[in-house]
Amino acid sequence: MVTAIVIPIICLYFFWLTKKEMREGYAKWRSLADVSEEAIISGEVVHLSESRQRYNYSRYVHVLELTVQTKGFKHSNIKKLLL
């Protein structure tokens, strides 16, 4: 009789806990797109690469990496995250 009451309560608790963690993970993943503009760089794009990286179980982030050559022949590496 006790197991008929306790086991469903335990299952519901873990279901609730999993849903809560999924909501928090989704909020963190969505907050990656909220980045303020920090600097402006002008120059010529020398190298461009794009990759897809896993953020969480079923969430991915597209990473765009640019190498920009400025007037002083200095190379700057820029990384942009896209959802």
Coordinates of all heavy atoms in Angstrom, one line a residue:
M1 N 0.8 -1.2 0.0 CA 0.0 0.0 0.0 C 0.9 1.3 0.0 O 0.5 2.2 -0.7 CB -0.9 0.0 1.2 CG -1.7 1.2 1.4 SD -3.4 0.9 1.2 CE -4.0 2.4 1.9
V2 N 1.9 1.2 0.8 CA 2.8 2.4 0.9 C 3.5 2.6 -0.5 O 3.6 3.8 -0.9 CB 3.9 2.2 2.0 CG1 4.9 3.3 2.0 CG2 3.2 2.1 3.3
T3 N 3.9 1.6 -1.2 CA 4.6 1.7 -2.5 C 3.6 2.3 -3.5 O 4.1 3.0 -4.4 CB 5.1 0.4 -2.9 OG1 4.1 -0.6 -3.0 CG2 6.2 -0.1 -2.0
A4 N 2.4 2.0 -3.4 CA 1.4 2.5 -4.4 C 1.3 4.0 -4.2 O 0.8 4.7 -5.2 CB 0.0 1.9 -4.2
I5 N 1.6 4.6 -3.1 CA 1.5 6.0 -2.9 C 2.9 6.7 -3.1 O 3.0 7.7 -3.7 CB 1.0 6.3 -1.4 CG1 -0.4 5.8 -1.3 CG2 1.0 7.8 -1.1 CD1 -1.0 5.8 0.1
V6 N 3.9 6.1 -2.6 CA 5.3 6.7 -2.6 C 5.9 6.7 -4.0 O 6.5 7.7 -4.4 CB 6.2 5.9 -1.6 CG1 7.6 6.5 -1.7 CG2 5.7 6.1 -0.2
I7 N 5.8 5.6 -4.7 CA 6.4 5.6 -6.1 C 5.9 6.6 -7.0 O 6.7 7.3 -7.7 CB 6.3 4.1 -6.6 CG1 7.2 3.2 -5.8 CG2 6.7 4.1 -8.1 CD1 7.2 1.8 -6.2
P8 N 4.6 6.8 -7.1 CA 4.1 7.9 -8.0 C 4.6 9.3 -7.6 O 4.9 10.2 -8.4 CB 2.6 7.8 -8.0 CG 2.3 6.4 -7.6 CD 3.5 6.0 -6.7
I9 N 4.6 9.5 -6.3 CA 5.1 10.8 -5.7 C 6.6 11.0 -6.1 O 7.0 12.1 -6.5 CB 4.9 10.9 -4.2 CG1 3.4 10.9 -3.9 CG2 5.6 12.1 -3.6 CD1 3.1 10.9 -2.4
I10 N 7.4 10.0 -6.0 CA 8.8 10.1 -6.4 C 8.9 10.3 -7.9 O 9.7 11.2 -8.3 CB 9.6 8.8 -6.0 CG1 9.7 8.7 -4.5 CG2 10.9 8.8 -6.6 CD1 10.3 7.4 -4.0
C11 N 8.1 9.7 -8.7 CA 8.2 9.9 -10.2 C 7.7 11.3 -10.5 O 8.4 11.9 -11.4 CB 7.3 8.9 -10.9 SG 7.9 7.2 -10.8
L12 N 6.7 11.8 -9.9 CA 6.3 13.2 -10.2 C 7.3 14.2 -9.7 O 7.5 15.2 -10.4 CB 4.9 13.4 -9.5 CG 3.7 12.8 -10.1 CD1 2.5 13.0 -9.2 CD2 3.5 13.3 -11.5
Y13 N 8.0 13.9 -8.6 CA 9.0 14.8 -8.1 C 10.2 14.9 -9.1 O 10.6 16.0 -9.5 CB 9.5 14.4 -6.8 CG 10.8 15.2 -6.3 CD1 10.6 16.5 -5.9 CD2 12.0 14.6 -6.4 CE1 11.8 17.2 -5.5 CE2 13.1 15.3 -6.0 CZ 13.0 16.6 -5.6 OH 14.1 17.3 -5.2
F14 N 10.6 13.8 -9.6 CA 11.7 13.8 -10.6 C 11.3 14.4 -12.0 O 12.1 15.0 -12.6 CB 12.3 12.4 -10.8 CG 13.2 12.0 -9.6 CD1 12.9 11.0 -8.8 CD2 14.4 12.7 -9.4 CE1 13.7 10.7 -7.7 CE2 15.3 12.4 -8.4 CZ 14.9 11.4 -7.5
F15 N 10.0 14.2 -12.3 CA 9.5 14.8 -13.6 C 9.5 16.3 -13.4 O 10.0 17.1 -14.3 CB 8.1 14.3 -13.8 CG 7.5 15.0 -15.0 CD1 7.9 14.6 -16.3 CD2 6.5 15.9 -14.9 CE1 7.3 15.2 -17.4 CE2 5.9 16.5 -16.0 CZ 6.3 16.2 -17.2
W16 N 9.1 16.8 -12.3 CA 9.0 18.2 -12.0 C 10.5 18.8 -12.0 O 10.7 19.9 -12.5 CB 8.3 18.5 -10.7 CG 8.4 19.9 -10.2 CD1 7.7 21.0 -10.7 CD2 9.3 20.5 -9.2 NE1 8.0 22.1 -10.0 CE2 9.0 21.8 -9.2 CE3 10.3 19.9 -8.4 CZ2 9.7 22.7 -8.3 CZ3 11.0 20.7 -7.5 CH2 10.7 22.1 -7.5
L17 N 11.4 18.1 -11.3 CA 12.8 18.6 -11.3 C 13.4 18.6 -12.6 O 14.1 19.6 -13.0 CB 13.6 17.6 -10.3 CG 15.0 18.0 -10.0 CD1 14.9 19.3 -9.1 CD2 15.6 16.9 -9.2
T18 N 13.2 17.6 -13.5 CA 13.7 17.6 -14.8 C 13.2 18.8 -15.7 O 13.9 19.4 -16.4 CB 13.4 16.3 -15.5 OG1 13.9 15.2 -14.7 CG2 14.0 16.2 -16.9
K19 N 11.9 19.0 -15.6 CA 11.3 20.2 -16.3 C 11.8 21.5 -15.9 O 12.1 22.4 -16.7 CB 9.7 20.2 -16.1 CG 9.0 19.1 -16.8 CD 9.2 19.2 -18.3 CE 7.9 19.2 -19.0 NZ 8.0 19.4 -20.4
K20 N 12.1 21.6 -14.6 CA 12.7 22.9 -14.0 C 14.1 23.1 -14.6 O 14.4 24.2 -15.0 CB 12.7 22.8 -12.5 CG 13.3 24.0 -11.8 CD 13.3 23.8 -10.3 CE 14.1 24.8 -9.6 NZ 14.3 24.5 -8.2
E21 N 14.9 22.0 -14.6 CA 16.3 22.1 -15.1 C 16.2 22.4 -16.6 O 17.1 23.2 -17.1 CB 17.0 20.8 -14.8 CG 17.4 20.6 -13.4 CD 18.0 19.3 -13.1 OE1 18.2 18.5 -14.1 OE2 18.4 19.1 -12.0
M22 N 15.3 21.9 -17.4 CA 15.2 22.1 -18.8 C 14.8 23.6 -19.0 O 15.4 24.2 -19.9 CB 14.2 21.2 -19.4 CG 14.7 19.8 -19.6 SD 13.4 18.7 -20.3 CE 13.2 19.4 -21.9
R23 N 13.9 24.2 -18.2 CA 13.6 25.6 -18.4 C 14.8 26.5 -18.1 O 15.0 27.5 -18.8 CB 12.4 25.9 -17.4 CG 11.1 25.7 -18.0 CD 10.0 26.3 -17.0 NE 10.2 25.8 -15.7 CZ 9.4 25.0 -15.0 NH1 8.3 24.6 -15.6 NH2 9.6 24.5 -13.8
E24 N 15.5 26.2 -17.0 CA 16.7 26.9 -16.7 C 17.8 26.8 -17.8 O 18.4 27.8 -18.2 CB 17.3 26.5 -15.4 CG 16.5 26.8 -14.2 CD 17.0 26.2 -12.9 OE1 18.0 25.4 -13.0 OE2 16.3 26.4 -11.9
G25 N 18.0 25.7 -18.4 CA 18.9 25.5 -19.5 C 18.5 26.2 -20.7 O 19.4 26.8 -21.4
Y26 N 17.2 26.2 -21.0 CA 16.7 26.9 -22.2 C 16.9 28.4 -22.0 O 17.3 29.2 -22.9 CB 15.2 26.6 -22.4 CG 14.7 27.3 -23.6 CD1 15.0 26.9 -24.9 CD2 13.8 28.4 -23.4 CE1 14.4 27.5 -26.0 CE2 13.3 29.0 -24.5 CZ 13.6 28.6 -25.8 OH 13.1 29.2 -26.9
A27 N 16.7 28.9 -20.8 CA 16.9 30.4 -20.5 C 18.3 30.8 -20.6 O 18.6 31.8 -21.2 CB 16.3 30.7 -19.1
K28 N 19.2 29.9 -20.2 CA 20.7 30.2 -20.3 C 21.1 30.2 -21.8 O 21.9 31.0 -22.3 CB 21.5 29.2 -19.6 CG 21.5 29.4 -18.1 CD 22.3 28.4 -17.4 CE 22.2 28.4 -15.9 NZ 23.0 27.4 -15.2
W29 N 20.5 29.3 -22.6 CA 20.9 29.2 -24.0 C 20.3 30.4 -24.7 O 21.0 30.9 -25.6 CB 20.2 27.9 -24.5 CG 20.4 27.6 -26.0 CD1 21.6 27.3 -26.6 CD2 19.5 27.7 -27.0 NE1 21.4 27.1 -27.9 CE2 20.1 27.4 -28.2 CE3 18.1 28.0 -27.0 CZ2 19.4 27.4 -29.4 CZ3 17.4 28.0 -28.2 CH2 18.1 27.7 -29.4
R30 N 19.1 30.8 -24.4 CA 18.6 32.0 -25.1 C 19.3 33.3 -24.7 O 19.3 34.2 -25.5 CB 17.1 32.2 -24.8 CG 16.2 31.1 -25.4 CD 16.1 31.2 -26.8 NE 15.6 32.4 -27.3 CZ 15.6 32.8 -28.6 NH1 16.1 32.0 -29.5 NH2 15.1 34.0 -28.9
S31 N 19.9 33.3 -23.5 CA 20.6 34.5 -23.1 C 21.9 34.7 -23.8 O 22.5 35.8 -23.7 CB 20.8 34.5 -21.5 OG 21.7 33.5 -21.2
L32 N 22.4 33.7 -24.5 CA 23.6 33.9 -25.2 C 23.5 34.9 -26.3 O 24.4 35.5 -26.7 CB 24.0 32.5 -25.9 CG 24.6 31.5 -24.9 CD1 24.8 30.2 -25.7 CD2 25.9 31.9 -24.3
A33 N 22.3 35.1 -26.9 CA 22.0 36.0 -28.0 C 22.0 37.5 -27.5 O 22.1 38.4 -28.3 CB 20.8 35.7 -28.7
D34 N 21.8 37.7 -26.2 CA 21.7 39.0 -25.6 C 23.1 39.6 -25.2 O 23.4 39.6 -24.0 CB 20.8 39.0 -24.4 CG 19.4 38.5 -24.8 OD1 19.0 38.7 -25.9 OD2 18.7 38.0 -23.9
V35 N 23.9 40.0 -26.2 CA 25.2 40.5 -26.0 C 25.2 41.9 -26.5 O 24.9 42.2 -27.7 CB 26.3 39.6 -26.7 CG1 27.7 40.2 -26.5 CG2 26.2 38.2 -26.1
S36 N 25.7 42.8 -25.7 CA 25.8 44.2 -26.2 C 27.0 44.4 -27.1 O 28.0 43.6 -27.0 CB 25.9 45.1 -25.0 OG 27.0 44.9 -24.2
E37 N 27.0 45.4 -27.9 CA 28.1 45.6 -28.8 C 29.2 46.3 -28.0 O 29.0 47.3 -27.3 CB 27.6 46.6 -29.9 CG 28.6 46.8 -31.0 CD 28.0 47.6 -32.2 OE1 26.9 47.3 -32.6 OE2 28.7 48.5 -32.6
E38 N 30.4 45.7 -28.1 CA 31.5 46.2 -27.3 C 32.5 47.1 -28.1 O 33.0 48.0 -27.6 CB 32.2 45.0 -26.7 CG 31.4 44.2 -25.8 CD 32.2 43.1 -25.2 OE1 33.4 43.0 -25.4 OE2 31.5 42.3 -24.5
A39 N 32.8 46.7 -29.4 CA 33.8 47.5 -30.1 C 33.4 47.4 -31.6 O 32.7 46.5 -32.1 CB 35.1 46.9 -29.9
I40 N 34.0 48.3 -32.3 CA 33.9 48.3 -33.8 C 35.3 48.2 -34.4 O 36.2 48.9 -34.0 CB 33.2 49.7 -34.2 CG1 31.8 49.8 -33.7 CG2 33.2 49.7 -35.8 CD1 31.2 51.1 -34.0
I41 N 35.4 47.2 -35.2 CA 36.7 47.0 -35.9 C 36.5 47.1 -37.4 O 35.6 46.5 -37.9 CB 37.3 45.6 -35.5 CG1 37.6 45.5 -34.1 CG2 38.5 45.2 -36.4 CD1 38.0 44.1 -33.6
S42 N 37.4 47.8 -38.0 CA 37.3 47.9 -39.5 C 38.6 47.4 -40.1 O 39.6 47.5 -39.5 CB 37.1 49.4 -39.9 OG 38.2 50.2 -39.5
G43 N 38.4 46.7 -41.2 CA 39.6 46.2 -41.9 C 39.1 45.1 -42.9 O 38.0 45.1 -43.3
E44 N 40.0 44.3 -43.3 CA 39.8 43.3 -44.3 C 39.7 41.9 -43.6 O 40.5 41.5 -42.8 CB 40.9 43.3 -45.3 CG 40.7 42.3 -46.4 CD 41.9 42.3 -47.4 OE1 42.7 43.2 -47.4 OE2 42.0 41.3 -48.2
V45 N 38.6 41.1 -44.0 CA 38.5 39.8 -43.5 C 39.4 38.9 -44.2 O 39.4 38.7 -45.4 CB 37.0 39.3 -43.7 CG1 36.9 37.9 -43.2 CG2 36.1 40.2 -42.9
V46 N 40.4 38.3 -43.4 CA 41.4 37.4 -43.9 C 40.9 36.0 -43.9 O 41.1 35.2 -44.8 CB 42.7 37.6 -43.1 CG1 43.8 36.7 -43.6 CG2 43.2 39.0 -43.2
H47 N 40.3 35.6 -42.8 CA 39.9 34.2 -42.6 C 38.5 34.1 -42.0 O 38.2 34.9 -41.1 CB 40.9 33.4 -41.7 CG 40.6 32.0 -41.5 ND1 40.7 31.0 -42.5 CD2 40.2 31.3 -40.4 CE1 40.3 29.9 -42.1 NE2 40.0 30.0 -40.8
L48 N 37.7 33.2 -42.5 CA 36.4 33.0 -42.0 C 36.1 31.5 -41.7 O 36.4 30.7 -42.6 CB 35.4 33.6 -43.0 CG 33.9 33.3 -42.7 CD1 33.4 34.1 -41.5 CD2 33.1 33.7 -43.9
S49 N 35.7 31.2 -40.6 CA 35.3 29.8 -40.3 C 34.0 29.7 -39.5 O 33.8 30.5 -38.6 CB 36.5 29.0 -39.6 OG 36.6 29.6 -38.3
E50 N 33.3 28.6 -39.7 CA 32.0 28.5 -39.0 C 32.0 27.0 -38.5 O 32.3 26.1 -39.2 CB 30.8 28.7 -40.0 CG 29.5 28.6 -39.3 CD 28.4 28.9 -40.3 OE1 28.6 29.3 -41.4 OE2 27.2 28.8 -39.8
S51 N 31.5 26.9 -37.3 CA 31.4 25.5 -36.7 C 30.1 25.5 -35.9 O 29.6 26.5 -35.5 CB 32.6 25.2 -35.9 OG 32.7 26.1 -34.8
R52 N 29.7 24.3 -35.6 CA 28.5 24.1 -34.8 C 28.9 23.3 -33.5 O 29.5 22.2 -33.6 CB 27.5 23.2 -35.6 CG 26.2 23.0 -34.8 CD 25.3 22.3 -35.8 NE 24.5 21.3 -35.0 CZ 23.6 20.5 -35.5 NH1 23.3 20.6 -36.8 NH2 23.0 19.7 -34.7
Q53 N 28.7 23.9 -32.4 CA 29.1 23.3 -31.1 C 27.9 23.0 -30.2 O 26.9 23.7 -30.2 CB 30.0 24.2 -30.3 CG 31.3 24.5 -31.1 CD 32.2 25.5 -30.3 OE1 31.8 26.0 -29.3 NE2 33.4 25.7 -30.9
R54 N 28.0 21.9 -29.5 CA 26.9 21.5 -28.6 C 26.9 22.3 -27.4 O 27.9 22.5 -26.7 CB 27.0 20.0 -28.3 CG 25.9 19.6 -27.3 CD 25.9 18.1 -27.2 NE 25.4 17.6 -28.4 CZ 24.9 16.4 -28.5 NH1 24.8 15.6 -27.5 NH2 24.4 15.9 -29.6
Y55 N 25.8 23.0 -27.0 CA 25.7 23.7 -25.8 C 25.1 22.9 -24.7 O 25.6 22.9 -23.6 CB 24.8 25.0 -26.0 CG 24.6 25.8 -24.8 CD1 25.6 26.6 -24.4 CD2 23.4 25.8 -24.1 CE1 25.5 27.4 -23.2 CE2 23.3 26.5 -22.9 CZ 24.3 27.3 -22.5 OH 24.2 28.1 -21.4
N56 N 24.0 22.2 -25.0 CA 23.4 21.4 -24.0 C 22.9 20.2 -24.8 O 23.1 20.1 -26.0 CB 22.2 22.1 -23.3 CG 21.9 21.5 -21.9 OD1 22.4 20.5 -21.6 ND2 21.1 22.3 -21.2
Y57 N 22.1 19.3 -24.2 CA 21.7 18.0 -24.8 C 21.2 18.2 -26.2 O 21.8 17.6 -27.1 CB 20.7 17.3 -23.9 CG 21.1 17.0 -22.5 CD1 20.8 17.7 -21.4 CD2 22.0 15.9 -22.3 CE1 21.2 17.4 -20.2 CE2 22.5 15.6 -21.1 CZ 22.1 16.4 -20.0 OH 22.5 16.1 -18.8
S58 N 20.2 18.9 -26.4 CA 19.7 19.1 -27.8 C 19.8 20.5 -28.3 O 19.2 20.9 -29.3 CB 18.2 18.7 -27.8 OG 17.5 19.6 -26.9
R59 N 20.6 21.3 -27.6 CA 20.8 22.7 -28.0 C 22.2 22.9 -28.6 O 23.2 22.4 -28.1 CB 20.6 23.7 -26.8 CG 19.4 23.4 -26.0 CD 18.3 24.4 -26.4 NE 17.2 24.2 -25.5 CZ 16.0 23.9 -25.9 NH1 15.8 23.7 -27.2 NH2 15.0 23.8 -25.1
Y60 N 22.2 23.6 -29.7 CA 23.5 23.9 -30.4 C 23.7 25.4 -30.5 O 22.8 26.1 -30.5 CB 23.5 23.2 -31.8 CG 23.6 21.7 -31.7 CD1 22.4 21.0 -31.8 CD2 24.8 21.1 -31.6 CE1 22.5 19.6 -31.7 CE2 24.8 19.7 -31.6 CZ 23.7 18.9 -31.6 OH 23.7 17.6 -31.6
V61 N 25.0 25.7 -30.7 CA 25.4 27.1 -30.9 C 26.3 27.1 -32.2 O 27.2 26.3 -32.3 CB 26.2 27.7 -29.7 CG1 26.7 29.0 -30.0 CG2 25.4 27.6 -28.5
H62 N 26.0 28.0 -33.1 CA 26.8 28.2 -34.3 C 27.9 29.2 -34.0 O 27.5 30.3 -33.6 CB 26.0 28.6 -35.5 CG 25.0 27.5 -35.9 ND1 25.4 26.4 -36.7 CD2 23.7 27.4 -35.6 CE1 24.4 25.7 -36.9 NE2 23.3 26.2 -36.2
V63 N 29.1 28.9 -34.1 CA 30.2 29.8 -33.8 C 30.8 30.3 -35.1 O 31.3 29.5 -36.0 CB 31.3 29.1 -33.0 CG1 32.5 30.0 -32.7 CG2 30.7 28.6 -31.7
L64 N 30.9 31.6 -35.3 CA 31.4 32.2 -36.5 C 32.7 32.9 -36.1 O 32.7 33.8 -35.2 CB 30.4 33.2 -37.1 CG 30.8 33.9 -38.3 CD1 31.0 33.0 -39.5 CD2 29.8 35.0 -38.7
E65 N 33.9 32.5 -36.6 CA 35.1 33.1 -36.2 C 35.7 33.8 -37.4 O 35.8 33.3 -38.5 CB 36.1 32.0 -35.8 CG 35.7 31.3 -34.5 CD 36.7 30.2 -34.1 OE1 37.9 30.4 -34.4 OE2 36.3 29.3 -33.4
L66 N 36.1 35.1 -37.2 CA 36.6 35.9 -38.2 C 38.0 36.4 -37.8 O 38.3 36.6 -36.7 CB 35.8 37.2 -38.4 CG 34.3 37.0 -38.8 CD1 33.6 38.3 -38.6 CD2 34.2 36.6 -40.2
T67 N 38.9 36.4 -38.8 CA 40.2 37.0 -38.6 C 40.3 38.3 -39.4 O 40.1 38.2 -40.7 CB 41.4 36.1 -38.9 OG1 41.2 34.9 -38.2 CG2 42.7 36.7 -38.6
V68 N 40.4 39.4 -38.8 CA 40.4 40.7 -39.5 C 41.7 41.3 -39.5 O 42.4 41.4 -38.4 CB 39.3 41.6 -38.9 CG1 39.3 43.0 -39.6 CG2 37.9 41.0 -39.0
Q69 N 42.2 41.8 -40.6 CA 43.5 42.5 -40.7 C 43.2 44.0 -40.8 O 42.5 44.5 -41.7 CB 44.3 42.1 -41.9 CG 45.6 42.7 -42.0 CD 46.4 42.2 -43.2 OE1 45.9 41.4 -44.0 NE2 47.6 42.6 -43.4
T70 N 43.7 44.8 -39.8 CA 43.5 46.2 -39.8 C 44.6 46.9 -40.6 O 45.5 46.3 -41.2 CB 43.5 46.7 -38.3 OG1 44.7 46.4 -37.7 CG2 42.4 46.1 -37.5
K71 N 44.5 48.3 -40.6 CA 45.5 49.1 -41.4 C 46.9 48.8 -40.9 O 47.8 48.9 -41.7 CB 45.2 50.5 -41.3 CG 43.9 50.9 -42.1 CD 43.7 52.4 -42.0 CE 42.5 52.8 -42.8 NZ 42.3 54.3 -42.7
G72 N 47.1 48.7 -39.6 CA 48.5 48.5 -39.1 C 49.0 47.1 -39.3 O 49.9 46.7 -38.6
F73 N 48.4 46.3 -40.1 CA 48.8 44.9 -40.4 C 48.7 44.0 -39.1 O 49.4 43.1 -38.9 CB 50.2 44.7 -41.0 CG 50.3 45.4 -42.3 CD1 51.0 46.6 -42.4 CD2 49.7 44.9 -43.4 CE1 51.1 47.2 -43.6 CE2 49.8 45.5 -44.6 CZ 50.5 46.7 -44.8
K74 N 47.8 44.4 -38.2 CA 47.5 43.7 -37.0 C 46.3 42.8 -37.2 O 45.3 43.2 -37.8 CB 47.2 44.6 -35.9 CG 47.0 44.0 -34.5 CD 46.8 45.0 -33.5 CE 46.5 44.3 -32.2 NZ 46.2 45.3 -31.1
H75 N 46.4 41.5 -36.8 CA 45.3 40.6 -37.0 C 44.5 40.5 -35.7 O 45.0 40.4 -34.6 CB 45.8 39.2 -37.3 CG 46.3 39.0 -38.6 ND1 47.6 39.6 -39.0 CD2 45.8 38.4 -39.7 CE1 47.8 39.3 -40.3 NE2 46.7 38.6 -40.8
S76 N 43.2 40.6 -35.8 CA 42.2 40.5 -34.7 C 41.3 39.3 -34.9 O 40.8 39.1 -36.0 CB 41.4 41.8 -34.6 OG 42.2 42.9 -34.3
N77 N 41.2 38.5 -33.9 CA 40.3 37.4 -33.9 C 38.9 37.7 -33.3 O 38.9 38.3 -32.2 CB 40.9 36.2 -33.2 CG 42.1 35.6 -33.9 OD1 42.2 35.7 -35.1 ND2 43.0 35.1 -33.2
I78 N 37.9 37.5 -34.0 CA 36.5 37.8 -33.6 C 35.7 36.5 -33.6 O 35.7 35.8 -34.5 CB 35.9 38.9 -34.5 CG1 36.7 40.1 -34.6 CG2 34.4 39.2 -34.1 CD1 36.4 41.0 -35.7
K79 N 35.0 36.3 -32.5 CA 34.1 35.1 -32.4 C 32.7 35.6 -32.1 O 32.4 36.4 -31.2 CB 34.6 34.3 -31.2 CG 33.9 33.0 -31.1 CD 34.3 32.1 -29.9 CE 35.6 31.5 -30.3 NZ 36.0 30.5 -29.2
K80 N 31.7 35.1 -32.9 CA 30.3 35.5 -32.8 C 29.5 34.2 -32.6 O 29.7 33.2 -33.3 CB 29.8 36.2 -34.0 CG 28.4 36.6 -33.8 CD 27.9 37.5 -34.9 CE 26.5 37.8 -34.7 NZ 26.0 39.0 -35.3
L81 N 28.7 34.2 -31.6 CA 27.8 33.1 -31.3 C 26.4 33.3 -31.9 O 25.8 34.3 -31.6 CB 27.7 32.8 -29.8 CG 29.0 32.6 -29.0 CD1 28.7 32.5 -27.6 CD2 29.6 31.3 -29.5
L82 N 25.9 32.3 -32.6 CA 24.6 32.4 -33.2 C 23.8 31.2 -32.7 O 24.3 30.1 -32.6 CB 24.7 32.4 -34.8 CG 25.6 33.4 -35.4 CD1 25.8 33.0 -36.9 CD2 25.0 34.8 -35.3
L83 N 22.5 31.4 -32.4 CA 21.7 30.3 -32.0 C 21.2 29.5 -33.1 O 20.9 29.9 -34.1 CB 20.5 30.9 -31.1 CG 20.9 31.7 -29.9 CD1 19.7 32.1 -29.2 CD2 21.8 30.9 -29.0

